[in-house]
Amino acid sequence: MNFHVMTLFPDMINNAMSESITGRAIKAGHIAVNAVNIRDFSENKHNRVDDYPYGGGAGMVMQAGPVYRCYKAIEEEISTGSVVNAGEDLADENKTRVIYLSPQGKTFNQEMAKGFAKEENLIFLCGHYEGIDERVLEEIVTDYVSIGDYVLTGGELPALVMMDTISRLVPGVLNNDMSAQTESFTDNLLEYPQYTRPENWEGKLVPPVLLSGNHKKLAEWYREQSVIRTAKRRPDLIEKAELTPKERELAERIMSGENE
């Protein structure tokens, strides 16, 4: 998986992605991060990439030209095979997906991450100021994505959130690939509670089933706890979850407050 990030702050991307799990994945060659500075494509002697908006209004708007030239440079890298595992064809039907991080986009979730993880290359466009000239967005963007209903100063943090999530779904990134299959939002359920040593902490004991060594009972407990936790904390997910009649009855009791 190759992540290409069009940004005004490449160090912000590189520094964050070089740490922890993603950092190890980069060193191992499972993912690659190519943070490209949009300012490098300015034709202004001061490397400005913004200007006043037509029609007036507060703030500045990023210009179409630098953004488009930055995109074309990345597209050229991909088409010539100068990035790891690059696609061979840039025909329209195989166009690299360009994700514009915007509060106006669809809200990012685990299902979207699974879809993006199937790509060989992804391009993230990080906006700033009051936004980006609409004409270049119409020309290059394939996906408008938001990480929540709030406004940030730029697209770098949302891009990092998405890359972290997507990376975990790339084969080889996690030491234990089963982790990605049992975490929250798999099957629209939250992950069950986790415990470690000591067995007794401040008078609170680890649930006995976790010490039993009975794999069948453990699997049943994990599933039940996921249903219970989802019903309590994210009841909105229950409707989409694939539950047995017994599990759905349990969830409905919890959501109605019968088990409190």
Side-chain angles (χ1 to χ4, degrees):
M1 166 63 75
N2 303 296
F3 296 117
H4 309 268
V5 187
M6 303 166 63
T7 174
L8 298 179
F9 302 98
D11 287 346
M12 186 174 178
I13 299 296
N14 289 327
N15 290 341
M17 290 296 288
S18 66
E19 299 292 338
S20 189
I21 291 173
T22 53
R24 292 195 295 271
I26 291 170
K27 290 178 181 177
H30 299 305
I31 63 174
V33 178
N34 176 32
V36 185
N37 195 334
I38 298 172
R39 291 190 189 279
D40 292 343
F41 299 88
S42 171
E43 294 180 340
N44 183 289
K45 66 178 181 179
H46 300 295
N47 290 330
R48 282 188 55 181
V49 296
D50 62 312
D51 210 329
Y52 294 102
Y54 279 119
M60 307 291 277
V61 175
M62 290 178 66
Q63 297 171 304
V67 171
Y68 188 69
R69 288 188 289 273
C70 181
Y71 162 74
K72 293 299 287 185
I74 293 172
E75 187 183 60
E76 179 65 20
E77 284 187 25
I78 295 171
S79 66
T80 57
S82 58
V83 294
V84 180
N85 297 325
E88 296 178 358
D89 190 352
L90 274 178
D92 287 344
E93 63 270 20
N94 294 315
K95 179 181 178 181
T96 304
R97 295 175 75 171
V98 179
I99 302 164
Y100 178 44
L101 293 314
S102 167
Q104 298 180 21
K106 294 180 180 178
T107 304
F108 184 58
N109 58 33
Q110 194 69 17
E111 284 304 308
M112 290 173 68
K114 290 177 183 177
F116 286 131
K118 296 175 182 177
E119 304 290 330
E120 290 187 358
N121 292 277
L122 289 172
I123 301 175
F124 292 86
L125 173 57
C126 303
H128 273 271
Y129 313 119
E130 293 303 307
I132 299 175
D133 190 308
E134 187 69 19
R135 292 168 294 184
V136 73
L137 299 181
E138 293 173 350
E139 186 69 22
I140 70 172
V141 173
T142 62
D143 300 88
Y144 292 79
V145 182
S146 167
I147 63 166
D149 294 335
Y150 44 86
V151 180
L152 297 169
T153 56
E156 284 75 17
L157 288 176
L160 289 167
V161 166
M162 290 187 65
M163 288 190 289
D164 187 283
T165 303
I166 295 166
S167 293
R168 298 174 67 84
L169 301 174
V170 175
V173 169
L174 296 181
N175 289 331
N176 179 3
D177 287 339
M178 286 299 293
S179 294
Q181 300 174 31
T182 60
E183 290 176 332
S184 292
F185 305 112
T186 301
D187 297 329
N188 286 301
L189 292 175
L190 301 183
E191 188 179 14
Y192 49 81
Q194 300 277 9
Y195 300 85
T196 188
R197 296 174 181 173
E199 181 182 336
N200 183 334
W201 178 78
E202 300 292 329
K204 296 178 181 291
L205 300 177
V206 171
V209 66
L210 298 179
L211 309 175
S212 69
N214 187 319
H215 295 291
K216 184 175 183 294
K217 287 185 177 180
L218 280 170
E220 292 172 351
W221 186 85
Y222 291 150
R223 178 72 179 186
E224 180 182 64
Q225 291 300 311
S226 287
V227 173
I228 292 171
R229 177 161 286 190
T230 305
K232 285 182 176 179
R233 300 183 181 180
R234 289 292 305 274
D236 56 300
L237 294 174
I238 288 294
E239 187 62 33
K240 297 180 286 185
E242 294 186 11
L243 304 178
T244 65
K246 183 179 179 181
E247 289 171 342
R248 191 161 294 280
E249 181 183 350
L250 172 62
E252 288 173 354
R253 285 204 313 268
I254 292 169
M255 291 188 293
S256 67
E258 289 182 26
N259 279 39
E260 293 181 358

